[in-house]
């Protein structure tokens, strides 16, 4: 998974020249959630592989997009501090296996926990659709319209 996420991050770094991180983030979050849902109860190897690819795409891509967006919205100094806070809060994800174990103890399987975790990501993906333009995108739109750029 880590190797695959690294490859996805590198590839999306090039794709980011064409499609902004702000536009990619909701799709990547949905891909990660969808991957978990596919992995939850699939026995068909094609669905298991597709779920793994979607999960890797979601993890690797989200990591890249969040990093780029924080720096673009807040600048390098504050963006780096925000990134530290984000990854500190991401440590709360360590509760996921514990919660999954509780669900498995209660139901006899992990399927419900994985589906639940996948579904939690979908409203987050929808909320990411509402992200405002980054200063770079705003300046590009202004320049296209023929006006002077705003200061950052």
């Amino acid at each position: 998974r880590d190797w695959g996420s690294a490859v996805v991050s590198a590839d999306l770094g090039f794709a980011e020249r064409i499609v902004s991180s702000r536009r990619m983030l909701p799709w990547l979050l949905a891909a990660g959630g969808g991957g978990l849902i596919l992995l939850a109860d699939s026995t068909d190897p094609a669905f298991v592989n597709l779920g793994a690819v979607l999960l890797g795409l979601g993890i690797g891509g989200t990591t890249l997009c969040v990093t780029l967006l924080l720096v673009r919205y807040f600048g390098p100094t504050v963006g780096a501090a925000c990134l530290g806070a984000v990854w500190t809060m991401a440590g709360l994800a360590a509760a996921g296996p514990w919660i999954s174990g509780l669900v498995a103890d209660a139901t006899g399987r992990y399927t419900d926990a994985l589906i639940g975790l996948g579904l939690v990501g979908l409203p987050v993906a929808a909320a990411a659709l509402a992200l405002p333009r980054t200063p770079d995108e705003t300046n590009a739109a202004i320049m296209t319209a023929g006006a002077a750029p705003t200061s950052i």
Side-chain angles (χ1 to χ4, degrees), residues 5 28 31 73 87 93 109 113 138 147:
S5 292
L28 293 166
Y73 280 125
W87 294 126
R109 61 192 196 147
T138 302

Side-chain angles (χ1 to χ4, degrees), residues 4-109:
S5 292
V7 169
V8 167
S9 292
D11 289 342
L12 288 176
F14 289 109
E16 211 270 338
R17 295 178 182 187
I18 300 166
V19 179
S20 72
S21 293
R22 180 177 65 88
R23 293 186 187 269
M24 279 194 284
L25 183 61
W27 297 104
L28 293 166
L29 288 165
L36 272 174
I37 292 169
L38 276 176
L39 287 171
D41 205 24
S42 295
T43 55
D44 183 338
F47 285 118
V48 171
N49 286 324
L50 179 61
V53 167
L54 288 173
L55 184 59
L57 182 68
I59 292 170
T62 298
T63 300
L64 172 74
C65 288
V66 167
T67 302
L68 292 174
L69 287 170
L70 285 172
V71 171
R72 289 187 180 143
Y73 280 125
F74 302 109
T77 304
V78 174
C82 291
L83 189 60
V86 165
W87 294 126
T88 299
M89 288 186 293
L92 296 174
W98 177 70
I99 293 169
S100 295
L102 292 175
V103 171
D105 287 345
T107 64
R109 61 192 196 147

